[in-house]
Amino acid sequence: MPPKFRPRFFIILLLATAATISVHSLSNALNFERLPLFREAPAFRNGRECPQVTWSSIINGQSRHDPSSIIHIAMTLDSTYLRGSVAGILSVLQHATCPENIVFHFIATHRRAELRRTVTVTFPYLNFHLYHFDADLVKGKISSSIRRALDQPLNYARFFLADLLPASVSRIIYFDSDLIVVDDVAKLWNINLGAHVLGAPEYCHANFTNYFNSRFWSNPAYAASFRGSKPCYFNTGVMVIDLVKWRDGKYTQKLEYWMRIQKKYRIYELGSLPPFLLVFAGNVEGVEHRWNQHGLGGDNLHGLCRDLHPGPASLLHWSGKGKPWLRIDSKRPCPLDSLWAPYDLYRHSLLFSDS
């Protein structure tokens, strides 16, 4: 006699199986989404005037010649902004007089093996290191901001460069992942920081009331942070940092202090920028504005098209909501996105399909 069919049991089994498959599929989608593929970049070689350095001296952050002959650049890497990072790297190398004397220091929170493979395959001749950033260092200190992208732990990795990089690296250029360099980066590297810890283009006409809310300004102790100085706005996507002075002055702890204040009292809305303004504004070595033509991504809400600022440009920065690769893919590019496109090494699937 055949066994009795139990429809209720069968339905429960089907639902449980479907749920397991859905959870597994979701996990794969979240954690194992394939990274973008890129064309291999050309090899860029030093000019005859470049000092010769060995790979061992690059690893140690030192040279037998002038220490400034090795340029150190830090950038973050993640799947969301990887296409922008690759374009930025290519732009630096393409315009450098001594590209073989540049070392990139990449920082990632996850998928480091895949990111390392992507960088190695795309830039076979690149000198680089890849560091792990522990997101737990900041997760409990981040409060929501005006744009979700600003709330990601990796956005705060710039606070910890002095801890992540080896002590042999005494100076670093920090670049965001949504910019291209159209000049020799050595010009930026060789600026004189004087007694300052940090150098960046400053904008002293900025109204600081836009960066902090009424809870900040109504607290005399907080508002006094800018007393006795002439604070100027600066964009933290392009900075030259003296890591020795940073470590000696314990500036990471100073930035973390304001993160804790923000978490408790919510005194601003703009992610990682306000702590930098609170700690450094009024004490920054001014850099020519040409080294950060920022805001090309529009504001943080709408990402509308913008024009270049008046004057020459050595670096174009799509800070703001609008990113050139997303606007290009959506067939709604802004006019200035055409300046980014030549550095895009992304392999479009339609161009490389087998059909």
Side-chain angles (χ1 to χ4, degrees):
M1 183 175 180
K4 186 177 180 180
F5 178 67
R6 296 186 175 93
R8 179 182 296 178
F9 172 78
F10 185 67
I11 292 172
I12 292 173
L13 181 62
L14 280 177
L15 290 173
T17 303
T20 301
I21 293 173
S22 297
V23 170
H24 181 69
S25 300
L26 179 60
S27 176
N28 281 341
L30 292 175
N31 299 314
F32 300 102
E33 180 184 358
R34 189 176 182 182
L35 292 179
L37 298 177
F38 300 95
R39 304 188 305 277
E40 181 180 319
F44 296 96
R45 300 302 186 189
N46 283 355
R48 291 182 178 179
E49 67 274 28
C50 298
Q52 296 300 310
V53 296
T54 63
W55 176 240
S56 61
S57 66
I58 287 176
I59 291 176
N60 295 323
Q62 300 172 345
S63 170
R64 290 172 298 175
H65 306 281
D66 182 355
S68 65
S69 61
I70 299 179
I71 297 172
H72 296 274
I73 298 174
M75 298 177 72
T76 59
L77 290 182
D78 68 349
S79 58
T80 303
Y81 283 84
L82 185 57
R83 190 167 165 188
S85 300
V86 167
I89 297 165
L90 176 62
S91 72
V92 170
L93 298 174
Q94 185 168 315
H95 294 282
T97 301
C98 305
E100 293 179 276
N101 293 8
I102 298 174
V103 183
F104 282 87
H105 300 264
F106 299 124
I107 302 163
T109 55
H110 61 285
R111 302 180 73 171
R112 281 183 296 155
E114 294 172 86
L115 291 168
R116 181 184 296 277
R117 185 164 55 248
T118 295
V119 172
T120 301
V121 170
T122 308
F123 299 100
Y125 307 98
L126 190 69
N127 302 317
F128 76 93
H129 305 277
L130 182 58
Y131 307 89
H132 172 65
F133 177 63
D134 184 0
D136 290 338
L137 286 173
V138 294
K139 270 186 177 177
K141 304 170 188 173
I142 297 175
S143 55
S144 61
S145 64
I146 196 170
R147 198 170 102 238
R148 186 176 179 183
L150 302 177
D151 303 337
Q152 302 307 308
L154 198 57
N155 192 41
Y156 291 83
R158 71 195 81 189
F159 287 28
F160 298 88
L161 293 176
D163 300 324
L164 293 168
L165 274 56
S168 57
V169 179
S170 59
R171 174 184 281 221
I172 195 77
I173 295 175
Y174 177 83
F175 280 155
D176 269 351
S177 297
D178 52 0
L179 57 78
I180 56 171
V181 177
V182 293
D183 201 346
D184 189 349
V185 74
K187 297 176 183 177
L188 178 62
W189 175 257
N190 287 321
I191 68 165
N192 183 4
L193 290 177
H196 296 108
V197 177
L198 185 152
E202 291 186 295
Y203 302 86
C204 296
H205 61 275
N207 184 353
F208 265 54
T209 58
N210 295 331
Y211 302 108
F212 303 93
N213 60 31
S214 58
R215 281 186 292 275
F216 174 86
W217 295 111
S218 62
N219 186 310
Y222 299 160
S225 302
F226 299 121
R227 190 175 299 150
S229 65
K230 296 180 179 179
C232 298
Y233 165 83
F234 65 96
N235 179 280
T236 58
V238 177
M239 299 183 288
V240 183
I241 301 172
D242 185 321
L243 293 176
V244 176
K245 291 189 179 76
W246 182 293
R247 293 174 182 122
D248 290 344
K250 302 185 183 303
Y251 284 96
T252 296
Q253 292 91 323
K254 294 177 182 178
L255 293 167
E256 288 182 296
Y257 166 79
W258 285 111
M259 287 184 71
R260 289 191 293 270
I261 294 294
Q262 163 70 356
K263 188 70 175 177
K264 188 172 182 180
Y265 299 108
R266 194 168 186 84
I267 56 175
Y268 54 79
E269 309 293 335
L270 284 173
S272 63
L273 170 64
F276 267 94
L277 296 180
L278 286 161
V279 173
F280 290 106
N283 192 26
V284 172
E285 179 63 35
V287 176
E288 287 183 273
H289 287 179
R290 68 188 301 152
W291 282 105
N292 196 351
Q293 285 266 357
H294 67 285
L296 303 186
D299 62 20
N300 282 307
L301 294 176
H302 306 293
L304 301 177
C305 298
R306 286 186 177 175
D307 295 326
L308 286 174
H309 305 293
S314 294
L315 184 150
L316 307 178
H317 187 185
W318 278 261
S319 58
K321 185 178 181 180
K323 303 307 174 188
W325 57 94
L326 297 178
R327 297 196 292 214
I328 289 171
D329 286 353
S330 67
K331 310 299 182 186
R332 293 183 295 177
C334 293
L336 290 178
D337 295 344
S338 62
L339 300 177
W340 181 89
Y343 302 95
D344 185 16
L345 292 176
Y346 178 62
R347 291 178 58 179
H348 293 272
S349 56
L350 292 177
L351 296 177
F352 291 87
S353 62
D354 295 332
S355 59

Coordinates of all heavy atoms in Angstrom, one line a residue, residues 21-83:
I21 N 17.4 28.5 -0.2 CA 18.0 28.9 -1.5 C 18.0 30.5 -1.6 O 19.0 31.1 -2.0 CB 17.2 28.3 -2.6 CG1 17.4 26.8 -2.7 CG2 17.7 28.9 -4.0 CD1 16.5 26.1 -3.7
S22 N 16.9 31.1 -1.1 CA 16.9 32.6 -1.2 C 18.0 33.2 -0.3 O 18.6 34.2 -0.7 CB 15.5 33.1 -0.7 OG 14.5 32.6 -1.6
V23 N 18.1 32.7 0.9 CA 19.1 33.2 1.8 C 20.5 33.0 1.2 O 21.4 33.9 1.3 CB 19.1 32.6 3.2 CG1 20.3 32.9 4.1 CG2 17.8 33.0 3.9
H24 N 20.7 31.8 0.7 CA 22.0 31.5 0.1 C 22.3 32.5 -1.1 O 23.4 33.0 -1.3 CB 22.1 30.1 -0.4 CG 23.4 29.7 -1.0 ND1 24.5 29.5 -0.2 CD2 23.7 29.4 -2.3 CE1 25.5 29.2 -1.0 NE2 25.1 29.1 -2.3
S25 N 21.3 32.7 -1.9 CA 21.4 33.6 -3.1 C 21.7 35.0 -2.7 O 22.5 35.7 -3.3 CB 20.2 33.5 -4.0 OG 19.9 32.2 -4.4
L26 N 21.0 35.4 -1.6 CA 21.2 36.8 -1.1 C 22.6 36.9 -0.6 O 23.3 38.0 -0.8 CB 20.2 37.1 0.0 CG 20.3 38.5 0.6 CD1 20.1 39.6 -0.4 CD2 19.2 38.6 1.7
S27 N 23.1 35.9 0.2 CA 24.4 36.0 0.7 C 25.4 36.1 -0.4 O 26.4 36.9 -0.4 CB 24.7 34.7 1.5 OG 26.0 34.7 2.0
N28 N 25.2 35.3 -1.5 CA 26.1 35.3 -2.6 C 26.1 36.7 -3.3 O 27.1 37.3 -3.7 CB 25.8 34.3 -3.7 CG 26.2 32.9 -3.3 OD1 27.1 32.8 -2.4 ND2 25.7 31.9 -3.8
A29 N 24.9 37.3 -3.4 CA 24.8 38.6 -4.1 C 25.5 39.6 -3.3 O 26.1 40.5 -3.8 CB 23.3 38.9 -4.2
L30 N 25.4 39.6 -1.9 CA 26.0 40.6 -1.1 C 27.5 40.4 -1.0 O 28.2 41.4 -1.0 CB 25.3 40.6 0.3 CG 23.9 41.0 0.4 CD1 23.4 40.8 1.8 CD2 23.7 42.4 0.0
N31 N 28.0 39.2 -0.9 CA 29.4 39.0 -0.5 C 30.2 38.5 -1.7 O 31.4 38.7 -1.7 CB 29.5 37.9 0.6 CG 28.8 38.4 1.9 OD1 29.0 39.5 2.3 ND2 28.0 37.5 2.5
F32 N 29.6 38.0 -2.8 CA 30.4 37.4 -3.8 C 30.0 38.0 -5.2 O 30.2 37.4 -6.2 CB 30.2 35.9 -3.8 CG 30.7 35.3 -2.5 CD1 29.8 34.8 -1.6 CD2 32.0 35.1 -2.3 CE1 30.2 34.3 -0.4 CE2 32.4 34.5 -1.1 CZ 31.5 34.1 -0.1
E33 N 29.5 39.2 -5.2 CA 29.2 39.9 -6.4 C 30.5 40.1 -7.2 O 31.5 40.6 -6.6 CB 28.5 41.3 -6.2 CG 28.2 42.0 -7.4 CD 27.7 43.4 -7.1 OE1 27.5 43.7 -5.9 OE2 27.4 44.2 -8.0
R34 N 30.5 39.8 -8.4 CA 31.7 39.8 -9.2 C 32.3 41.3 -9.3 O 31.5 42.2 -9.6 CB 31.5 39.2 -10.6 CG 32.7 39.0 -11.4 CD 32.4 38.4 -12.7 NE 33.6 38.1 -13.5 CZ 33.5 37.5 -14.7 NH1 32.4 37.2 -15.2 NH2 34.6 37.3 -15.4
L35 N 33.5 41.4 -9.1 CA 34.1 42.8 -9.3 C 34.2 43.1 -10.8 O 34.2 42.2 -11.6 CB 35.6 42.8 -8.7 CG 35.7 42.6 -7.2 CD1 37.2 42.7 -6.8 CD2 35.0 43.7 -6.5
P36 N 34.2 44.4 -11.1 CA 34.3 44.8 -12.5 C 35.6 44.3 -13.1 O 36.6 44.1 -12.4 CB 34.2 46.3 -12.4 CG 33.7 46.7 -11.1 CD 34.0 45.6 -10.1
L37 N 35.5 44.1 -14.4 CA 36.7 43.7 -15.1 C 37.3 45.0 -15.9 O 36.5 45.8 -16.4 CB 36.4 42.6 -16.1 CG 35.9 41.3 -15.5 CD1 35.5 40.3 -16.7 CD2 36.9 40.7 -14.6
F38 N 38.6 45.0 -16.0 CA 39.2 46.2 -16.6 C 40.2 45.7 -17.7 O 40.8 44.7 -17.6 CB 39.9 47.0 -15.6 CG 39.0 47.5 -14.5 CD1 38.9 46.9 -13.3 CD2 38.3 48.7 -14.7 CE1 38.0 47.3 -12.3 CE2 37.4 49.2 -13.7 CZ 37.3 48.5 -12.5
R39 N 40.4 46.6 -18.7 CA 41.5 46.4 -19.6 C 42.8 46.6 -19.0 O 42.9 47.4 -18.0 CB 41.3 47.3 -20.8 CG 40.0 47.2 -21.5 CD 40.0 48.0 -22.8 NE 40.3 49.4 -22.6 CZ 39.5 50.4 -22.2 NH1 38.3 50.1 -21.9 NH2 39.9 51.6 -22.1
E40 N 43.9 46.0 -19.5 CA 45.2 46.2 -18.9 C 45.7 47.5 -19.3 O 45.7 47.9 -20.5 CB 46.2 45.1 -19.4 CG 47.6 45.2 -18.8 CD 48.5 44.1 -19.3 OE1 48.1 42.9 -19.4 OE2 49.7 44.4 -19.6
A41 N 46.3 48.2 -18.3 CA 46.8 49.6 -18.6 C 48.2 49.4 -19.2 O 48.9 48.4 -19.0 CB 47.0 50.3 -17.3
P42 N 48.6 50.4 -20.0 CA 50.0 50.3 -20.6 C 51.0 50.5 -19.5 O 50.7 51.0 -18.4 CB 50.0 51.5 -21.6 CG 48.9 52.4 -21.1 CD 47.9 51.6 -20.5
A43 N 52.2 50.1 -19.8 CA 53.3 50.3 -18.9 C 53.9 51.7 -19.0 O 54.1 52.2 -20.1 CB 54.4 49.2 -19.2
F44 N 54.0 52.3 -17.9 CA 54.6 53.7 -17.9 C 56.0 53.7 -17.3 O 56.2 53.1 -16.2 CB 53.6 54.6 -17.1 CG 52.3 54.8 -17.7 CD1 51.2 54.0 -17.2 CD2 52.1 55.7 -18.7 CE1 49.9 54.1 -17.8 CE2 50.8 55.8 -19.3 CZ 49.7 55.1 -18.8
R45 N 56.9 54.2 -18.0 CA 58.3 54.2 -17.6 C 58.8 55.6 -17.2 O 58.3 56.6 -17.7 CB 59.2 53.6 -18.7 CG 58.8 52.2 -19.1 CD 58.8 51.2 -18.0 NE 58.6 49.8 -18.4 CZ 58.4 48.8 -17.5 NH1 58.4 49.1 -16.2 NH2 58.2 47.6 -17.9
N46 N 59.9 55.6 -16.4 CA 60.5 56.8 -16.0 C 61.2 57.5 -17.1 O 61.8 56.9 -18.0 CB 61.5 56.5 -14.9 CG 60.9 56.3 -13.5 OD1 59.7 56.4 -13.4 ND2 61.7 55.9 -12.6
G47 N 61.2 58.8 -17.0 CA 62.0 59.6 -17.9 C 63.5 59.5 -17.5 O 63.8 59.1 -16.4
R48 N 64.4 60.0 -18.4 CA 65.8 59.8 -18.1 C 66.3 60.6 -16.9 O 67.3 60.3 -16.3 CB 66.6 60.3 -19.4 CG 66.5 59.4 -20.6 CD 67.3 59.9 -21.7 NE 67.3 59.0 -22.9 CZ 67.9 59.2 -24.0 NH1 68.7 60.3 -24.2 NH2 67.8 58.3 -25.0
E49 N 65.5 61.7 -16.6 CA 65.9 62.6 -15.5 C 65.5 62.0 -14.2 O 65.9 62.6 -13.1 CB 65.3 64.0 -15.7 CG 63.8 64.0 -15.6 CD 63.0 63.7 -16.9 OE1 63.6 63.0 -17.7 OE2 61.9 64.2 -17.0
C50 N 64.8 60.9 -14.1 CA 64.3 60.4 -12.9 C 65.4 59.6 -12.1 O 66.2 58.9 -12.6 CB 63.2 59.4 -13.1 SG 61.7 60.1 -13.9
P51 N 65.5 59.9 -10.8 CA 66.4 59.1 -9.9 C 66.1 57.7 -9.9 O 64.9 57.3 -9.9 CB 66.3 59.8 -8.6 CG 64.9 60.4 -8.6 CD 64.7 60.8 -10.0
Q52 N 67.1 56.8 -10.0 CA 66.8 55.4 -9.9 C 66.6 54.9 -8.5 O 67.4 55.2 -7.6 CB 68.0 54.6 -10.6 CG 68.2 55.0 -12.1 CD 67.0 54.6 -12.9 OE1 66.4 53.5 -12.8 NE2 66.5 55.6 -13.7
V53 N 65.6 54.1 -8.3 CA 65.3 53.5 -7.0 C 65.1 52.0 -7.2 O 64.7 51.6 -8.2 CB 64.1 54.2 -6.3 CG1 64.3 55.6 -6.0 CG2 62.8 54.0 -7.2
T54 N 65.4 51.3 -6.1 CA 65.2 49.8 -6.2 C 63.9 49.5 -5.5 O 63.3 50.2 -4.7 CB 66.4 49.1 -5.4 OG1 66.3 49.5 -4.1 CG2 67.7 49.5 -6.1
W55 N 63.4 48.3 -5.8 CA 62.1 47.8 -5.2 C 62.3 47.7 -3.7 O 61.3 48.0 -3.0 CB 61.7 46.5 -5.8 CG 60.5 45.9 -5.2 CD1 60.4 44.7 -4.6 CD2 59.2 46.5 -5.1 NE1 59.1 44.5 -4.1 CE2 58.3 45.6 -4.4 CE3 58.7 47.7 -5.5 CZ2 57.0 45.9 -4.2 CZ3 57.3 48.0 -5.3 CH2 56.5 47.1 -4.6
S56 N 63.4 47.3 -3.2 CA 63.6 47.2 -1.8 C 63.5 48.5 -1.1 O 63.0 48.7 0.0 CB 65.0 46.5 -1.5 OG 66.0 47.3 -2.0
S57 N 64.1 49.6 -1.8 CA 64.0 50.9 -1.2 C 62.5 51.4 -1.2 O 62.1 52.1 -0.3 CB 64.9 51.9 -1.9 OG 64.5 52.1 -3.2
I58 N 61.8 51.0 -2.2 CA 60.4 51.4 -2.3 C 59.6 50.7 -1.2 O 58.7 51.3 -0.5 CB 59.8 51.0 -3.7 CG1 60.4 52.0 -4.8 CG2 58.3 51.1 -3.7 CD1 59.9 51.7 -6.2
I59 N 59.9 49.4 -1.0 CA 59.2 48.7 0.1 C 59.4 49.3 1.4 O 58.5 49.5 2.3 CB 59.6 47.2 0.1 CG1 59.1 46.5 -1.1 CG2 59.2 46.5 1.4 CD1 59.6 45.0 -1.2
N60 N 60.6 49.8 1.7 CA 61.0 50.4 2.9 C 60.7 51.9 3.0 O 60.9 52.5 4.1 CB 62.5 50.2 3.2 CG 62.9 48.7 3.4 OD1 62.1 48.0 3.9 ND2 64.0 48.4 2.9
G61 N 60.1 52.4 1.9 CA 59.8 53.8 1.9 C 61.0 54.7 1.9 O 60.9 55.9 2.3
Q62 N 62.1 54.2 1.5 CA 63.3 55.0 1.5 C 64.0 54.9 0.1 O 63.8 54.0 -0.7 CB 64.3 54.5 2.6 CG 63.7 54.6 4.0 CD 64.6 53.8 5.0 OE1 65.5 53.1 4.6 NE2 64.3 54.1 6.2
S63 N 65.0 55.8 -0.1 CA 65.8 55.8 -1.3 C 67.2 56.2 -1.0 O 67.4 57.0 0.0 CB 65.2 56.8 -2.4 OG 66.1 56.9 -3.4
R64 N 68.1 55.7 -1.7 CA 69.5 56.1 -1.5 C 69.7 57.5 -1.9 O 70.7 58.2 -1.6 CB 70.5 55.2 -2.2 CG 70.6 53.8 -1.6 CD 71.4 52.9 -2.5 NE 70.7 52.7 -3.8 CZ 71.3 52.0 -4.9 NH1 72.5 51.5 -4.7 NH2 70.7 52.0 -6.0
H65 N 68.8 58.1 -2.7 CA 68.9 59.4 -3.2 C 68.0 60.3 -2.3 O 67.7 60.0 -1.2 CB 68.5 59.5 -4.7 CG 69.3 58.5 -5.5 ND1 70.5 58.8 -5.9 CD2 69.0 57.3 -6.0 CE1 71.0 57.7 -6.6 NE2 70.1 56.8 -6.7
D66 N 67.5 61.4 -2.9 CA 66.6 62.3 -2.2 C 65.3 61.5 -1.8 O 64.7 60.9 -2.6 CB 66.2 63.4 -3.2 CG 65.3 64.5 -2.6 OD1 64.9 64.3 -1.4 OD2 65.0 65.5 -3.3
P67 N 64.9 61.6 -0.5 CA 63.7 60.9 0.0 C 62.5 61.3 -0.8 O 61.6 60.5 -0.9 CB 63.6 61.4 1.4 CG 65.0 61.8 1.8 CD 65.6 62.3 0.6
S68 N 62.5 62.5 -1.4 CA 61.3 62.9 -2.1 C 61.2 62.2 -3.5 O 60.2 62.4 -4.2 CB 61.3 64.4 -2.3 OG 62.4 64.8 -3.1
S69 N 62.2 61.4 -3.9 CA 62.2 60.7 -5.2 C 61.1 59.6 -5.2 O 60.8 59.1 -6.3 CB 63.6 60.2 -5.5 OG 64.0 59.2 -4.5
I70 N 60.7 59.1 -4.1 CA 59.6 58.2 -4.0 C 58.3 58.9 -3.5 O 58.3 59.5 -2.5 CB 59.9 57.0 -3.1 CG1 61.2 56.2 -3.6 CG2 58.7 56.0 -3.0 CD1 61.6 55.1 -2.7
I71 N 57.3 58.8 -4.3 CA 56.0 59.5 -4.0 C 55.0 58.4 -3.5 O 54.8 57.4 -4.1 CB 55.5 60.1 -5.3 CG1 56.4 61.2 -5.7 CG2 54.1 60.7 -5.0 CD1 56.0 61.9 -7.1
H72 N 54.5 58.7 -2.3 CA 53.5 57.7 -1.7 C 52.1 58.3 -1.8 O 51.9 59.5 -1.4 CB 53.9 57.5 -0.2 CG 55.2 56.8 -0.1 ND1 55.4 55.5 -0.1 CD2 56.5 57.4 0.1 CE1 56.7 55.2 0.1 NE2 57.3 56.3 0.2
I73 N 51.2 57.5 -2.3 CA 49.8 57.9 -2.5 C 48.9 56.9 -1.9 O 49.0 55.7 -2.1 CB 49.5 58.0 -4.0 CG1 50.3 59.1 -4.7 CG2 48.0 58.4 -4.2 CD1 50.2 59.2 -6.2
A74 N 48.0 57.3 -1.1 CA 47.0 56.4 -0.4 C 45.6 56.6 -1.1 O 45.2 57.8 -1.3 CB 46.9 56.7 1.1
M75 N 44.9 55.5 -1.3 CA 43.6 55.5 -1.8 C 42.8 54.3 -1.1 O 43.5 53.3 -0.8 CB 43.5 55.4 -3.3 CG 44.2 56.5 -4.1 SD 44.1 56.2 -5.9 CE 42.4 56.5 -6.2
T76 N 41.5 54.4 -1.0 CA 40.7 53.3 -0.6 C 40.2 52.5 -1.8 O 40.1 53.1 -2.9 CB 39.5 53.8 0.2 OG1 38.7 54.6 -0.5 CG2 40.0 54.5 1.5
L77 N 40.0 51.2 -1.6 CA 39.4 50.4 -2.6 C 38.2 49.6 -2.1 O 38.2 49.1 -1.0 CB 40.5 49.3 -3.1 CG 41.7 49.8 -3.8 CD1 42.6 48.6 -4.2 CD2 41.4 50.5 -5.1
D78 N 37.2 49.7 -2.9 CA 36.0 48.8 -2.7 C 35.3 48.6 -4.0 O 35.6 49.2 -5.0 CB 35.1 49.5 -1.6 CG 34.4 50.7 -2.1 OD1 34.7 51.3 -3.2 OD2 33.5 51.2 -1.4
S79 N 34.3 47.7 -4.0 CA 33.6 47.3 -5.2 C 32.8 48.5 -5.8 O 32.7 48.6 -7.0 CB 32.7 46.1 -5.0 OG 31.8 46.4 -3.9
T80 N 32.3 49.3 -4.9 CA 31.4 50.4 -5.4 C 32.2 51.5 -6.2 O 31.7 51.9 -7.2 CB 30.7 51.1 -4.2 OG1 29.9 50.1 -3.5 CG2 29.7 52.1 -4.7
Y81 N 33.4 51.8 -5.7 CA 34.1 52.9 -6.3 C 35.3 52.4 -7.1 O 36.2 53.2 -7.5 CB 34.6 53.9 -5.2 CG 33.5 54.8 -4.8 CD1 32.6 54.4 -3.8 CD2 33.3 56.1 -5.3 CE1 31.6 55.3 -3.3 CE2 32.3 56.9 -4.9 CZ 31.5 56.5 -3.9 OH 30.5 57.4 -3.5
L82 N 35.4 51.1 -7.3 CA 36.6 50.5 -7.9 C 36.9 51.1 -9.3 O 38.0 51.4 -9.7 CB 36.5 49.0 -8.0 CG 37.7 48.3 -8.5 CD1 39.0 48.6 -7.7 CD2 37.5 46.7 -8.5
R83 N 35.8 51.3 -10.1 CA 36.0 51.9 -11.4 C 36.6 53.3 -11.4 O 37.4 53.6 -12.2 CB 34.6 51.9 -12.1 CG 34.7 52.2 -13.6 CD 33.3 51.9 -14.2 NE 33.2 52.5 -15.5 CZ 32.0 52.5 -16.2 NH1 31.0 51.9 -15.7 NH2 31.9 53.1 -17.4

